Amino acid sequence: MNKQTPIKSVVIVGGGTAGWMAAAALARILQNKIAIRLVESDDIGSVGVGESTIPMMRVFNDALGINEDEFVRETRATFKLGIEFLDWGREGERYLHSFGRFGQDQGTVEFFQYWLRAYQAGLAPALDRYSINRMAAMANKFMRPAPPERGNSPLADIVYAFHLDAGLYARYLRTYAEARGVVRTEGKVVQVRQRSMDGFVEALVMENGDEIKGDLFLDCSGFRGLLIEETLKTGFEDWSHWLPCDRAWAVPCELAAGLKDELLPYTRAQARPAGWQWRIGLQHRTGNGHVFSSRHMSEDEAASILLNSLDGKPLADPKLLRFTAGKRSKTWNKNVVAVGLSSGFIEPLESTSIYLIQATVSSLVKFFPDAGFDQADIDEFNRQADFEVERIRDFIILHYHATTRADTPFWDHVRTMAVPDNVRRKLDLYKAHGRSVRENNELFSETAWQQVMHGQGIQARGHDPLADLLDERQLLGFLGDIENVVRKCVDYMPGHKEFIHAIWQAKR
C-alpha cells in the first residue's frame, strides 16, 4: 500500500466573510493538526454587502459550536423568516417567499395540492394563511422552534435565518479562528510563485519580501481572483445573457423612526425599472442596495433611485460594485480552491452568497486532499460545485422570467428571453398540475419554486388528481383547521423586537 503524504499547511488569501468563514471552519475541523494561515491587507476592503442569509447558516454556526445568542449580539443580527417580493410579477403586487413548509401533507398528497384545488375553485384564501413563517413575518413576530419536549407542536415548524452585519461577522469569526490556532498575516501579495513542473501554486511573495509557502491555497480574494484567475487562468463562464444585472449600489442608512420599535423579520426585494432594490433591517441600521443592468440604466440614475427611497439618513456614501454573473470554469484548479466571490457571482436576490461560501468549505472538507491532489477527487468536487451553483442560478432566473411586466426594456427582455432547459421543464411541470420536483437535493425545495411561480402569477391548469379524493366538506374542514392552528400559533409568538431585546437582557 502506498503511503499518503499529508497536507501540512493551508494558506487562505483574503479575509472578509469568505476568508474567515473558511478559516473558522477549518480550524474547528483540523484542530491544529494542519497549519492554517490567512493573509489579508487592511488596505483592501471587502465587499461586505452580504447581510441576508438562508437557514443553512444555522447549520454552519452550530457546526462551529457558536452560541446563537452571543452571535446575535456580536453581529447585531435580526431574525429572518423569508423574503418579501414587491412588483415582480405585476406592479403593485407582493408576496413572501418564506422558509419552512405550508400546512400538512396527507398521505402521498402534498398540502399545496389540496390548497391549489380549493383555490382554483374559489374556496380558499391566499396561501399565506397556511404558513406560520409567512403570517408571523407579516405580524413582525418571531420565536425559535418549539423544543421536542413540547410534543408535536406546530411551532416546531418555524424555520429561520439571519440578517447580519457582514463586517462584524467576519470580525467575530476572526476571533474564533485565531483562538484555535489560525495565524493572520497582514500585507499585500505582490507575486505568486508557481512550481515549474506542474504550475501548482508554491508560495506567495509579500510586499515586504517575505515568502509564505503552502500546500493547499484557498482564494478568498473576491472578484479579483488573484490565484484562481490571475495566476492559474482558470476561465469564466458568463451568465449575463440570463442575468443581465451587472452593477449594484450599496449604502447603509439609519433605522426609520417608525421601524425602531418594529424590526422586520424578513428581507424586502422591490423590483425597479432595470433591476431591484434590497432592504435588510439590522438592530442598529438598515442595509440597502440597488442591483441593476447598466445596459438599461445609468449608474447615476440607479444611485438616485436608491438614495431617494431610503427609510432613513444615509450613514455612508453609496458604494458601487461592478460584476458579471457567472462562475469560474473550475472552482478547484490544481492546489487552489476558490471560495466566495473569487469562484463567481450570482446576485443576492435569494441571499445565497454566504451559503455558497459555506457549501464550498463543506465540500472541501468532504474531499480534503493529501499532497498528491488526486484529480478524481478534484473533478467530483467541481462537478458537485457546478450542479449547486447552476441550480441556484436557475432559481434566480425564474424570478426575472416569471413576470408579465413589459413596462421597461429590461423587464420586456427578461420576460421574453430563452431560459435554461431546467427552468423551462420546471415551469412546464408547474403549469400542468402545480407540481415541482427537487433533484439531487438541490438547494431550493419544491415549496420554494411553487411559492415563486404562484407568487408571480404563473397559473397551473390543474392540480394533483389525488387531491380530489377528499370531498369538498372534508377539504374545507382540513384547510380551515390548519388556518386556525396557524393563527393561534402566531398570536402566541412574541414580537421580533421583543425577542431580540430578551437576548440582550439575558446577558445582564
Side-chain angles (χ1 to χ4, degrees):
M1 177 181 291
N2 292 329
K3 185 177 180 181
Q4 294 182 164
T5 303
I7 291 286
K8 295 181 180 179
S9 61
V10 177
V11 177
I12 302 170
V13 181
T17 307
W20 287 112
M21 282 183 72
L26 292 178
R28 174 80 170 185
I29 292 163
L30 300 179
Q31 298 183 356
N32 280 319
K33 301 296 193 301
I34 297 175
I36 304 171
R37 177 175 290 198
L38 185 145
V39 180
E40 66 176 339
S41 171
D42 292 334
D43 295 334
I44 301 174
S46 63
V47 172
V49 298
E51 296 179 327
S52 188
T53 67
I54 61 175
M56 290 298 290
M57 179 76 171
R58 295 176 55 211
V59 176
F60 182 82
N61 284 351
D62 287 348
L64 266 57
I66 289 173
N67 177 278
E68 189 167 284
D69 284 357
E70 178 184 87
F71 161 81
V72 168
R73 290 190 292 263
E74 292 296 323
T75 64
R76 301 299 188 269
T78 57
F79 294 93
K80 175 185 173 183
L81 296 170
I83 305 174
E84 182 186 39
F85 290 92
L86 280 66
D87 303 330
W88 282 81
R90 294 178 178 87
E91 285 193 272
E93 292 184 340
R94 66 179 62 203
Y95 71 95
L96 192 85
H97 169 203
S98 63
F99 306 132
R101 66 177 184 173
F102 284 76
Q104 186 174 4
D105 299 343
Q106 274 205 356
T108 60
V109 181
E110 63 179 1
F111 172 82
F112 182 82
Q113 292 293 336
Y114 287 116
W115 170 82
L116 185 59
R117 172 195 162 190
Y119 183 77
Q120 289 173 336
L123 299 174
L127 190 58
D128 300 27
R129 303 282 190 90
Y130 306 97
S131 163
I132 292 175
N133 264 47
R134 276 198 181 192
M135 296 303 288
M138 293 297 98
N140 293 329
K141 298 286 194 76
F142 179 79
M143 65 178 287
R144 292 185 176 112
E149 54 265 27
R150 288 279 298 273
N152 190 26
S153 169
L155 288 168
D157 292 336
I158 296 169
V159 180
Y160 66 93
F162 309 99
H163 302 130
L164 55 87
D165 184 315
L168 292 179
Y169 186 49
R171 186 187 307 170
Y172 180 73
L173 291 179
R174 173 182 169 180
T175 300
Y176 177 101
E178 289 184 321
R180 288 161 179 79
V182 174
V183 175
R184 176 185 182 270
T185 297
E186 201 285 324
K188 290 183 180 179
V189 178
V190 294
Q191 183 185 345
V192 179
R193 201 170 70 233
Q194 297 171 263
R195 294 195 315 218
S196 58
M197 60 181 177
D198 55 16
F200 275 49
V201 172
E202 186 175 46
L204 309 176
V205 180
M206 306 301 293
E207 194 172 39
N208 64 3
D210 289 347
E211 289 192 2
I212 298 175
K213 296 182 178 181
D215 297 319
L216 172 65
F217 289 81
L218 273 56
D219 187 342
C220 300
S221 64
F223 291 127
R224 179 184 179 188
L226 172 63
L227 304 182
I228 197 72
E229 193 59 45
E230 290 189 7
T231 301
L232 297 183
K233 313 297 183 187
T234 300
F236 187 81
E237 188 173 321
D238 189 331
W239 292 338
S240 59
H241 50 293
W242 290 315
L243 297 171
C245 290
D246 59 354
R247 301 283 191 277
W249 284 107
V251 63
C253 75
E254 294 178 348
L255 292 174
L259 294 176
K260 289 182 179 177
D261 296 324
E262 293 289 350
L263 295 174
L264 303 183
Y266 55 90
T267 303
R268 178 172 289 156
Q270 183 169 5
R272 293 299 189 189
W276 61 281
Q277 181 177 336
W278 78 72
R279 183 200 175 283
I280 300 168
L282 307 178
Q283 294 178 39
H284 60 309
R285 62 174 174 82
T286 299
N288 308 275
H290 184 188
V291 179
F292 64 100
S293 166
S294 64
R295 283 172 281 175
H296 299 90
M297 178 176 287
S298 71
E299 293 176 357
D300 289 344
E301 184 182 359
S304 177
I305 289 173
L306 176 62
L307 292 172
N308 289 328
S309 59
L310 300 179
D311 291 333
K313 180 181 176 182
L315 295 173
D317 293 330
K319 182 178 182 180
L320 180 64
L321 308 174
R322 295 183 174 91
F323 57 86
T324 300
K327 71 172 185 68
R328 298 291 169 204
S329 301
K330 299 175 184 177
T331 303
W332 186 343
N333 189 3
K334 300 186 185 296
N335 63 335
V336 172
V337 178
V339 182
L341 298 177
S342 63
S343 68
F345 185 71
I346 299 178
E347 60 186 77
L349 185 59
E350 282 282 354
S351 311
T352 53
S353 294
I354 289 178
Y355 165 74
L356 284 169
I357 297 169
Q358 174 184 346
T360 301
V361 174
S362 176
S363 190
L364 172 61
V365 170
K366 184 178 177 181
F367 293 100
F368 199 82
D370 59 36
F373 288 92
D374 197 294
Q375 193 61 43
D377 292 331
I378 296 172
D379 289 345
E380 182 59 22
F381 173 98
N382 283 326
R383 189 190 68 79
Q384 293 188 16
D386 286 349
F387 176 85
E388 179 94 77
V389 74
E390 286 168 6
R391 289 301 178 267
I392 292 172
R393 173 205 67 191
D394 290 350
F395 191 55
I396 302 304
I397 291 171
L398 172 71
H399 292 67
Y400 287 108
H401 187 62
T403 184
T404 60
R405 291 188 60 165
D407 54 302
T408 68
F410 173 84
W411 287 105
D412 194 48
H413 165 69
V414 294
R415 178 181 61 84
T416 59
M417 68 183 176
V419 295
D421 290 343
N422 179 59
V423 180
R424 178 52 54 199
R425 284 194 302 269
K426 286 180 179 286
L427 281 166
D428 290 344
L429 184 64
Y430 181 83
K431 288 176 181 178
H433 290 96
R435 292 185 171 113
S436 183
V437 175
R438 189 177 195 175
E439 300 179 50
N440 297 328
N441 204 34
E442 60 185 293
L443 176 61
F444 290 105
S445 67
E446 299 94 337
T447 302
W449 282 83
Q450 288 165 333
Q451 286 186 74
V452 174
M453 285 191 273
H454 173 74
Q456 294 191 197
I458 301 297
Q459 299 292 324
R461 295 187 295 273
H463 53 268
D464 187 336
L466 294 182
D468 292 328
L469 296 180
L470 289 184
D471 63 37
E472 187 174 296
R473 181 184 59 82
Q474 291 173 315
L475 175 65
L476 297 182
F478 170 62
L479 295 177
D481 288 345
I482 291 174
E483 186 179 355
N484 288 333
V485 168
V486 168
R487 183 175 59 253
K488 290 177 181 178
C489 287
V490 174
D491 287 345
Y492 173 80
M493 295 169 68
H496 182 214
K497 179 75 175 287
E498 177 187 351
F499 191 90
I500 292 174
H501 180 70
I503 290 175
W504 281 98
Q505 288 295 106
K507 184 182 179 182
R508 297 176 182 175

